[in-house]
DNA sequence: GAGACCGACGTTTTT
DNA sequence: CGTCGGTCTC
């Protein structure tokens, strides 16, 4: 009989040495999470509870136990978050952590699909469509269907795109999605369905992939191709998912398939779920234990970020919401300045207050980089931006419009995209329409012909006034292809495009600067598809990264609350805490949406470490609804003065 | 078929 | 106030 020796799990010695080295860096709850055994784990991490820190040590622990860094997959909400985490883990603990695989669901999906997508009939040179590209396609098909009959209300491209997105992200049928969100279009559902089918086919035929397709296709790959799933399971032995409360149904399924053997750790906070508009469902976090039987649930409840005074307000605001995982946040930073509720007469007074206060704080020695101004919607800061500029206060704005989404940048990108994917009809259409005399009809004809016969077919259209521009376009494309760098290609495109742009826009000097910025970004890339993918998947990280030139200058941050997720500052201002602005008037009638706005307020408040100012202008007329808004946000209105102190402004002179 | 012009209309957050 | 869609003219 053969004797087989069972070995002790190798963990005890590792645990002892790890504890010796790092115990003082973590509290006991965090330490338990970092060193949790291999099975499925769910970590409910309250705001400011050192979640990132814990994840970093988790990575270190796995590496410490001999797990190959490459076989750990870290899924985060933005790629910046992943890079930041890997960098910190490498600096703090173990250089090998840098080799951990990390990214967003979308970027990881794109990488996997480029490699294995063939199994689904997907070309590896597919182009990623951003939201507005997707809408362009829908618009085109909408026209082709002959839907523009008078009198009939048919959903607009934005609505359709949103609807299709919900179908994909929430794994609904079209009927279910219409029923749930767009009941008033039920009678048009067959037309919508045929448009949806055409849209899918249009993309497939031209190697185009929208954001949702990335997830849907990855899901299909994992669920339908066992061998690929095995290969990926072999490659990624440990799965760490951050911000789990903001995953949607299909992402949940992807995690389930990728983490089949149970080596999955999901981290999140149901109280901070703020992405339901794009299909996120914090029920995912509640269902996790059912997805993964034997799940161990951990909680991080000690807040290290904020003073008790800030936390009191946060707790009061969130207490009204029905949290599913009860937890009690506490801090050892007793006391602190009471959060202020500042009433201003009008928007300009609010702006002046914020600017003046920031100047005072800087006098007191708080650097601008430790101050942030947060708001519900990007446009809420317009007036303040002017005020800050007037007072020479440097700031960086996050959220809202992206450089990559501006028309001129998209114009240039479209020329590059057809080099990477010649069947990218969306880009062809965009760049052909730039040529005077070519409109939608001609453009479609040209594209149809080129899809059959290749780019040179364009010569067949080079007649009359169009002969010369078409000739120049073709020459430029050939030159760009011959260029030896991504930057070189963009330069060729710009030589061609700038004259067109100067004709099209009055403000071309500013736009030229943007394009020069694009050149700068491109210098870091050697591979065109990679450049295009990155810009599509992370439209603003690339901008921030490029800023080292003026990195020495201290800057204030203006940010949407959504973009401030996971970050912290010593002093936080929240603008427009006015009922109707925040929560938005459009959420009033839907309980679930109001609840999400409440969580959004909670996220905003918990960004502050020491000082918090909420302000609202009184007497605001809301045009669309003809309502006069006069009250502070309903989330803070009932808060007692011991917790939120009212301030009234008065002007000198 | 392209592009100028006019009237209607209206949420916002992001991969 | 700015964008969108539809109509009209060249």
């Amino acid at each position: 009989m053969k004797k087989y020796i069972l070995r002790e799990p190798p963990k005890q010695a590792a645990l002892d040495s790890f504890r010796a080295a790092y115990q003082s860096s973590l509290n006991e709850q965090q330490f338990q999470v970092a060193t949790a055994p291999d099975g499925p784990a769910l970590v409910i991490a309250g705001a400011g509870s050192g979640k990132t820190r814990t994840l970093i040590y988790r990575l270190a622990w796995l590496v410490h136990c001999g797990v190959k860094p490459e076989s750990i997959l870290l899924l985060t909400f933005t790629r910046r978050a992943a890079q930041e985490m890997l960098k910190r883990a490498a600096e703090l603990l173990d250089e090998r952590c840098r080799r951990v695989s990390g990214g967003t669901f979308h970027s990881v999906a794109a990488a996997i699909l480029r490699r294995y997508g063939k199994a689904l009939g997907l070309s590896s040179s597919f182009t990623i469509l951003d939201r507005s590209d997707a809408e362009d396609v829908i618009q085109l098909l909408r026209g082709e269907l002959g839907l523009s009959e008078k009198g009939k209300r048919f959903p607009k491209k934005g609505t359709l795109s949103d609807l299709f997105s919900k179908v994909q992200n929430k794994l609904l049928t079209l009927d279910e999605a219409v029923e749930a969100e767009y009941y008033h279009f039920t009678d048009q559902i067959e037309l919508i369905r045929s448009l949806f089918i055409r849209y899918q086919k249009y993309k497939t035929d031209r190697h185009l992939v929208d954001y949702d397709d990335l997830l849907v296709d990855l899901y299909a790959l994992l669920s339908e191709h066992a061998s690929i799933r095995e290969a990926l399971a072999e490659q990624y032995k440990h799965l760490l998912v951050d911000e789990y409360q903001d995953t949607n149904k299909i992402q949940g399924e992807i995690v389930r398939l990728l983490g089949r053997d149970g080596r999955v750790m999901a981290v999140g906070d149901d109280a901070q779920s703020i992405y339901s508009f794009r299909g996120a469902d914090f029920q995912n976090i509640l269902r996790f234990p059912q997805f993964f039987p034997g799940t161990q649930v951990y909680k991080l409840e000690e807040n290290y970020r904020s003073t008790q005074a800030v936390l009191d307000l946060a707790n009061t605001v969130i207490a009204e919401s029905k949290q599913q995982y009860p937890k009690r946040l506490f801090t050892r930073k007793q006391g602190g300045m009471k959060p202020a509720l500042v009433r201003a007469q009008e928007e300009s007074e609010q702006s002046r207050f914020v600017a003046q206060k920031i100047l005072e704080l800087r006098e007191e020695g708080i650097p601008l980089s430790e101050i942030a101004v947060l708001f519900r919607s990007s446009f809420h800061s317009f007036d303040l931006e002017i005020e800050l500029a007037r007072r020479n206060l440097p700031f960086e704005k996050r959220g809202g419009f992206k450089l990559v989404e501006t028309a001129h940048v998209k114009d240039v990108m479209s020329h590059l995209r057809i080099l990477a994917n010649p069947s990218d009809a969306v880009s062809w259409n965009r760049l052909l329409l730039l040529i005077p005399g070519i409109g939608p009809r001609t453009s479609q004809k040209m594209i149809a012909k080129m899809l059959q016969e290749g780019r040179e077919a364009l010569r067949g259209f080079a007649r009359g006034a169009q002969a010369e521009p078409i000739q120049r376009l073709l020459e430029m494309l050939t030159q760009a292809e011959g260029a030896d760098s991504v930057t070189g290609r963009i330069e060729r495109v710009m030589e061609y495009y700038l004259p067109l742009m100067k004709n099209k826009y009055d403000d071309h000097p500013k736009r030229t600067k943007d394009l020069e910025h694009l050149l700068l970004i491109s210098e870091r890339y050697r591979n065109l598809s990679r450049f295009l993918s990155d810009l599509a998947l992370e439209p603003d990280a690339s901008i921030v990264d490029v800023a080292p030139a003026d990195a020495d200058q201290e800057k204030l941050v203006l940010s949407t609350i959504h973009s401030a997720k996971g970050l912290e500052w010593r002093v936080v201002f929240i603008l427009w805490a006015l009922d109707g602005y925040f929560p938005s008037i459009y959420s009033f009638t839907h309980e679930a949406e109001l609840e999400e706005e409440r969580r959004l307020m909670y996220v905003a408040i918990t960004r502050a470490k020491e000082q918090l100012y909420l302000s609202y202008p009184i007497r605001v007329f809301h045009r669309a609804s003809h309502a006069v808004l006069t009250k502070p946000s309903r989330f803070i209105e009932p808060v007692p003065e011991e917790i939120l102190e009212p301030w009234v402004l008065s002007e000198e002179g």
Side-chain angles (χ1 to χ4, degrees), chain A residues 582-626:
Chain A
F582 190 5
S584 151
I585 200 164
Y586 303 100
S587 67
F588 285 5
T589 48
H590 298 94
E591 187 64 26
E593 287 178 33
L594 259 179
E595 282 304 293
E596 177 143 320
E597 300 265 319
R598 178 185 296 284
R599 293 191 295 269
L600 198 57
M601 180 63 90
Y602 177 74
V603 169
I605 292 170
T606 52
R607 297 312 93 197
K609 292 201 253 186
E610 295 167 14
Q611 296 184 36
L612 179 63
Y613 303 86
L614 294 100
S615 60
Y616 68 101
I618 201 168
R619 289 196 318 241
V620 170
F621 183 68
H622 192 262
R623 263 204 213 100
S625 65
H626 291 266

Side-chain angles (χ1 to χ4, degrees), chain A residues 90-137:
Chain A
E91 282 168 3
L92 227 73
L93 310 148
D94 194 319
E95 199 48 42
R96 288 173 293 173
C97 287
R98 220 182 273 281
R99 304 206 305 268
V100 166
S101 317
T104 62
F105 275 90
H106 291 86
S107 68
V108 168
I112 293 176
L113 289 170
R114 292 227 190 260
R115 177 148 175 219
Y116 295 105
K118 242 186 174 172
L120 298 172
L122 193 62
S123 153
S124 66
S125 64
F126 63 79
T127 303
I128 300 167
L129 301 182
D130 70 14
R131 166 95 189 199
S132 82
D133 297 326
E135 287 185 357
D136 287 349
V137 175

Side-chain angles (χ1 to χ4, degrees), chain A residues 455-472:
Chain A
R455 190 164 87 201
E456 287 301 310
L458 211 50
R459 287 193 197 283
F461 294 86
R463 285 185 301 265
Q466 265 83 66
E468 202 258 328
I470 287 178
Q471 178 67 24
R472 284 204 299 124

Side-chain angles (χ1 to χ4, degrees), chain A residues 301-574:
Chain A
E301 294 176 306
E302 176 163 2
N303 178 296
Y304 291 93
R305 179 183 296 154
S306 310
T307 60
Q308 189 61 50
V310 169
L311 224 49
D312 283 343
L313 179 61
N315 284 333
T316 312
V317 166
I318 205 66
E320 296 294 313
S321 133
K322 298 139 213 119
Q323 282 179 57
Q324 308 286 329
Y325 279 106
K327 57 188 162 300
R328 44 182 182 87
L329 277 185
F330 62 97
T331 179
R332 290 169 212 216
K333 295 185 186 173
Q334 286 307 310
M337 182 197 133
K338 262 185 219 171
L341 178 59
V342 184
R343 190 176 75 179
Q345 289 307 309
E346 53 194 11
E347 183 173 20
S348 63
E349 194 180 66
Q350 173 177 255
S351 300
R352 273 178 287 141
F353 162 72
V354 172
Q356 184 185 323
K357 191 75 205 168
I358 289 170
L359 284 170
E360 286 170 18
L361 291 164
R362 193 170 61 171
E363 296 280 297
E364 290 164 22
I366 298 180
L368 288 180
S369 57
E370 282 289 349
I371 306 174
V373 183
L374 307 181
F375 30 86
R376 171 74 184 85
S377 312
S378 190
F379 73 90
H380 288 172
S381 70
F382 287 171
D383 189 73
L384 177 65
E385 288 168 38
I386 295 168
E387 186 64 31
L388 293 174
R390 189 178 295 149
R391 305 198 190 208
N392 282 322
L393 276 165
F395 62 87
E396 176 194 323
K397 182 159 177 183
R398 299 181 186 169
F401 264 106
K402 313 273 158 54
L403 174 73
V404 190
E405 288 164 352
T406 56
H408 49 298
V409 173
K410 296 207 78 158
D411 285 346
V412 168
M413 299 291 286
S414 68
H415 294 86
L416 298 168
R417 279 167 42 163
I418 53 136
L419 295 179
N421 173 11
S423 47
D424 180 350
V426 185
S427 296
W428 271 119
N429 191 46
R430 182 168 195 113
L431 69 89
L432 289 172
L433 289 178
L434 290 169
I435 300 173
I438 298 180
R441 289 307 256 265
T442 313
S443 154
Q444 286 313 305
K445 277 189 206 159
M446 289 172 160
I447 294 167
K449 197 133 178 36
M450 283 191 287
L451 287 180
Q452 297 292 318
E453 301 168 16
R455 190 164 87 201
E456 287 301 310
L458 211 50
R459 287 193 197 283
F461 294 86
R463 285 185 301 265
Q466 265 83 66
E468 202 258 328
I470 287 178
Q471 178 67 24
R472 284 204 299 124
L473 172 64
L474 286 169
E475 272 172 27
M476 180 277 286
L477 291 174
T478 310
Q479 282 179 14
E481 263 167 347
D484 57 0
S485 66
V486 178
T487 311
R489 287 175 192 198
I490 301 180
E491 280 166 349
R492 296 290 88 71
V493 173
M494 277 173 63
E495 285 163 15
Y496 163 86
Y497 174 71
L498 284 181
L500 293 172
M501 185 183 81
K502 286 177 181 162
N503 253 325
K504 200 171 160 193
Y505 302 106
D506 289 341
D507 58 346
H508 59 262
K510 199 175 140 224
R511 293 174 190 259
T512 307
K513 277 179 85 181
D514 286 347
L515 294 177
E516 280 160 6
H517 194 109
L518 187 71
L519 275 177
L520 203 66
I521 294 172
S522 73
E523 281 172 11
R524 289 180 303 158
Y525 289 88
R526 303 187 54 196
N527 174 310
L528 181 62
S529 330
R530 186 65 201 272
F531 173 68
L532 296 172
S533 273
D534 276 13
L535 255 57
L537 290 170
E538 198 89 5
D540 61 4
S542 36
I543 300 170
V544 180
D545 293 353
V546 158
D550 51 356
D552 50 323
Q553 194 186 17
E554 289 281 350
K555 273 188 196 162
L556 170 74
V557 166
L558 307 194
S559 174
T560 60
I561 298 166
H562 285 89
S563 298
K565 182 176 180 155
L567 304 174
E568 60 179 30
W569 294 270
R570 280 173 69 186
V571 184
V572 167
F573 293 83
I574 301 174

Side-chain angles (χ1 to χ4, degrees), chain A residues 59 69-87 97-109 111 235-236 238-241 530 534 537-538:
Chain A
L59 288 176
E70 298 82 3
S71 69
I72 304 171
L73 179 60
L74 172 68
L75 290 170
T76 51
F77 205 69
T78 62
R79 199 154 27 167
R80 217 163 108 211
Q83 283 164 354
E84 180 70 18
M85 232 179 259
L86 301 186
K87 192 177 130 218
C97 287
R98 220 182 273 281
R99 304 206 305 268
V100 166
S101 317
T104 62
F105 275 90
H106 291 86
S107 68
V108 168
Q235 187 180 349
Y236 301 123
H238 287 265
L239 196 53
L240 281 140
V241 191
R530 186 65 201 272
D534 276 13
L537 290 170
E538 198 89 5

